């Protein structure tokens, strides 16, 4: 008997569903295999940095071939990766009169430029003089300016993304975020203060949004210990019309002290992704709302003035695997893998699968040795859970379902 068009479509749909299901299973198998490969591809190298006190920060330059370290010994060291694959110290100098909390590189388009911040209530900008070196082969760095507006410890310092020009943001324990700009990139001794943002909370860290297609955005974290003050992460956006920074959101789901914060590189996403290091690791998504949606959302929240809700905020992931305070987080260049380190002395790598379920794909101890991956292996194989029904039919679970229209059971 000939099949009518409806029957043909039905048969095709069933075949397509089986094919799609097999592809999903094959993809899950490749994910497990890939995770195993990732766990085996890391090589740890130990570097004797010879700092005389605690090291607070490590920063790579744009190309990943230069590294800067800062310490409570008040010094900064610069390291270059040699052709032999080893790191060599090419500069070492005292930068501040107190502990140096953070060090960061400017984009190489502006030269070899570093910025540091310290407990001595200042931030400083340093530039390497090309062609000048000491008898020991050490490169020569000079202080171009010292930023002295803060009345308390300067806790973080960050250069803006290249497309915004040569901007420098600092945050302090006095609750202020200050943004400076070098009007002449050939004269780095001039850094006039452009904006001072009062956050009303002690600031511990900040991050620029690297997106080129959205207005300039900053995220600021607070290490305020009092949980009753509410959210510890505040989002600011720059308004070209008003020529000022406006507070647009507060992430209310994070109430513990925040130690580090980082936007993921935006490669075609229509939303922003923000990682937060606190007592746990949080991954937050901020989806821009249309103007009509923003007004409706603001009206629906009695405590928020109309028009202030600019984003739909969702917590994409939350990890407590460190079982301790998390101090540093960092994204890879594509914004697909997140690294975190905590008081447990371990570094963990996190990645989302095609269903946006985040999993730990690798765990390393501080000395570079790999942690027993039984837990990670069990998590990976949760993608391929099976169940047996009464009639002998086998069902394969290909992921967790949060919406009924996402993925069905086959």
């Amino acid at each position: 008997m000939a099949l009518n068009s409806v029957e043909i479509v039905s048969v095709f749909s069933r075949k397509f569903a089986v094919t799609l299901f097999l592809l999903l299973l094959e993809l899950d198998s490749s994910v497990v295999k890939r995770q195993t490969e990732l766990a085996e591809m890391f090589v740890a190298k130990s570097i004797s940095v010879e700092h005389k006190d605690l090291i607070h920060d490590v920063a790579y330059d744009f190309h990943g071939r230069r590294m800067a370290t800062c310490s409570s010994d008040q010094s900064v060291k610069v390291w270059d990766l040699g052709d032999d694959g080893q790191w060599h110290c090419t500069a070492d100098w005292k930068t501040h009169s107190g502990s140096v909390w953070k060090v960061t590189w400017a984009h190489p388009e502006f030269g070899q430029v570093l910025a540091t911040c310290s407990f001595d209530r200042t931030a400083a900008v340093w530039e390497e003089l090309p062609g000048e070196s000491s008898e020991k082969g050490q490169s020569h760095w000079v202080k171009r300016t010292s930023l002295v507006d803060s009345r308390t410890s300067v806790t973080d310092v960050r250069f803006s993304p290249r497309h915004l020009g040569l901007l420098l943001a600092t945050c302090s324990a006095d609750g202020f975020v200050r943004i400076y700009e070098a009007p002449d990139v050939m004269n780095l001794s001039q850094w006039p203060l452009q904006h001072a943002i009062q956050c009303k909370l002690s600031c511990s860290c900040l991050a620029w949004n690297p997106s080129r297609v959205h207005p300039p955005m900053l995220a600021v974290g607070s290490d305020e210990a009092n949980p009753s003050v509410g959210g510890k992460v505040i989002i600011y956006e720059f308004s070209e019309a008003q020529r000022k920074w406006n507070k647009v959101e507060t992430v209310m789901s994070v109430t513990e002290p925040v130690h580090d914060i980082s936007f993921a590189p935006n490669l075609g996403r229509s939303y922003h992704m923000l990682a937060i290091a606190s007592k746990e690791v949080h991954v937050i998504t901020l989806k821009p709302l249309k103007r009509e949606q923003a007004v409706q959302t603001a009206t629906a929240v009695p405590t928020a003035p109309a028009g202030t809700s600019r984003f739909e905020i969702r917590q994409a992931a939350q990890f407590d695997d460190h079982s301790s305070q998390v101090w540093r987080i960092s994204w890879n260049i594509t914004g697909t893998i997140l690294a975190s380190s905590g008081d447990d002395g371990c570094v963990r790598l996190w990645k989302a699968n095609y269903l946006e379920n985040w999993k730990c794909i690798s765990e390393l101890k501080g000395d570079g040795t790999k942690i027993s991956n039984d837990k990670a292996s069990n998590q990976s194989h949760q993608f391929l859970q099976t169940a047996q029904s009464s009639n002998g039919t086998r069902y394969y679970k290909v992921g967790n379902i949060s919406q009924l229209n996402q993925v069905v059971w086959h």
Side-chain angles (χ1 to χ4, degrees):
M1 182 178 65
L3 296 176
N4 60 34
S5 58
V6 175
E7 291 171 332
I8 292 175
V9 171
S10 177
V11 171
F12 175 77
S13 299
R14 289 197 296 272
K15 288 184 177 180
F16 177 74
V18 172
T19 304
L20 178 60
F21 172 55
L22 292 176
L23 286 174
L24 289 174
L25 287 180
E26 184 178 348
L27 180 57
D28 274 331
S29 300
S30 66
V31 168
V32 174
K33 181 179 178 182
R34 179 58 177 160
Q35 290 175 349
T36 305
E37 292 173 351
L38 281 171
E40 301 293 339
M41 68 184 291
F42 300 104
V43 177
K45 291 185 179 180
S46 179
I47 304 171
S48 179
V49 295
E50 298 179 354
H51 276 293
K52 298 175 183 177
D53 209 328
L54 292 175
I55 299 172
H56 293 290
D57 198 17
V58 178
Y60 288 97
D61 75 338
F62 178 79
H63 300 291
R65 298 191 62 85
R66 307 196 80 183
M67 179 175 65
T69 59
C70 64
S71 166
S72 278
D73 64 7
Q74 306 176 5
S75 72
V76 165
K77 294 176 185 280
V78 175
W79 306 78
D80 285 12
L81 183 61
D83 295 334
D84 57 357
Q86 302 298 319
W87 291 93
H88 305 278
C89 183
T90 57
D92 176 7
W93 73 99
K94 180 180 177 180
T95 55
H96 293 272
S97 58
S99 296
V100 186
W101 302 131
K102 296 287 181 66
V103 58
T104 184
W105 294 83
H107 191 276
E109 175 182 309
F110 306 110
Q112 296 300 304
V113 181
L114 283 172
T116 56
C117 65
S118 169
F119 180 75
D120 67 3
R121 301 180 295 179
T122 69
V125 177
W126 308 85
E127 185 178 20
E128 184 181 34
L129 298 181
E132 294 191 19
S133 59
S134 65
E135 295 178 356
K136 298 181 180 179
Q138 298 260 305
S139 58
H140 186 48
W141 290 76
V142 295
K143 181 190 284 188
R144 291 305 187 191
T145 192
S146 185
L147 308 172
V148 297
D149 297 284
S150 177
R151 294 176 294 175
T152 56
S153 173
V154 182
T155 53
D156 203 356
V157 58
R158 298 291 176 203
F159 285 105
S160 67
R162 177 183 60 171
H163 65 274
L164 296 178
L166 193 52
L167 302 178
L168 184 67
T170 68
C171 67
S172 310
D174 61 7
F176 275 89
V177 173
R178 296 176 174 89
I179 300 174
Y180 303 85
E181 182 177 13
D184 182 3
V185 296
M186 303 302 294
N187 178 16
L188 297 184
S189 62
Q190 301 296 320
W191 288 83
L193 177 65
Q194 300 295 318
H195 305 277
I197 308 168
Q198 186 174 10
C199 301
K200 299 181 181 180
L201 289 175
S202 174
C203 301
S204 58
C205 54
L206 60 84
W208 291 89
N209 188 345
S211 174
R212 300 175 63 96
V213 297
H214 297 94
M217 183 184 294
L218 276 171
V220 182
S222 171
D223 57 0
E224 186 76 41
N226 185 3
S228 64
V229 300
K232 299 297 175 59
V233 176
I234 306 171
I235 309 297
Y236 293 92
E237 193 175 67
F238 185 71
S239 169
E240 286 288 351
Q242 299 175 337
R243 301 298 298 172
K244 71 173 187 176
W245 289 85
N246 297 317
K247 176 181 174 181
V248 291
E249 292 292 347
T250 299
V251 181
M252 302 303 296
S253 60
V254 181
T255 57
E256 296 288 337
V258 175
H259 308 302
D260 198 14
I261 194 166
S262 180
F263 277 103
N266 191 314
L267 296 182
R269 278 192 298 267
S270 60
Y271 57 90
H272 312 293
M273 194 150 58
L274 181 67
I276 302 165
S278 181
K279 188 177 179 180
E280 299 170 333
V281 178
H282 302 262
V283 179
I284 306 294
T285 61
L286 298 98
K287 182 179 179 182
L289 296 173
K290 295 180 180 179
R291 180 168 299 184
E292 303 80 20
Q293 293 175 308
V295 172
Q296 291 173 3
T297 304
T299 305
V301 181
T303 59
T308 58
S309 295
R310 295 284 308 281
F311 300 92
E312 177 189 341
I313 300 178
R314 184 178 69 88
Q315 182 159 279
Q318 181 177 346
F319 316 117
D320 60 358
D321 297 50
H322 286 282
S323 301
S324 61
Q325 293 292 328
V326 182
W327 290 99
R328 287 289 184 272
I329 49 177
S330 180
W331 293 95
N332 68 340
I333 194 171
T334 57
T336 54
I337 297 178
L338 177 67
S340 63
S341 63
D343 272 340
D344 59 348
C346 297
V347 175
R348 289 178 168 84
L349 301 183
W350 310 90
K351 189 177 186 346
N353 66 358
Y354 59 92
L355 291 175
E356 293 301 321
N357 293 324
W358 288 80
K359 301 291 180 183
C360 180
I361 61 173
S362 188
E363 298 174 289
L364 298 173
K365 293 182 181 178
D367 59 5
T369 58
K370 192 174 67 171
I371 300 175
S372 174
N373 60 354
D374 293 341
K375 181 179 178 181
S377 177
N378 290 337
Q379 288 179 339
S380 300
H381 284 85
Q382 286 177 0
F383 286 110
L384 294 174
Q385 293 177 355
T386 61
Q388 189 79 22
S389 71
S390 58
N391 61 4
T393 306
R394 293 180 66 84
Y395 295 88
Y396 292 83
K397 181 182 179 183
V398 297
N400 296 322
I401 300 174
S402 58
Q403 301 291 335
L404 292 178
N405 59 356
Q406 266 188 341
V407 178
V408 296
W409 287 73
H410 297 284

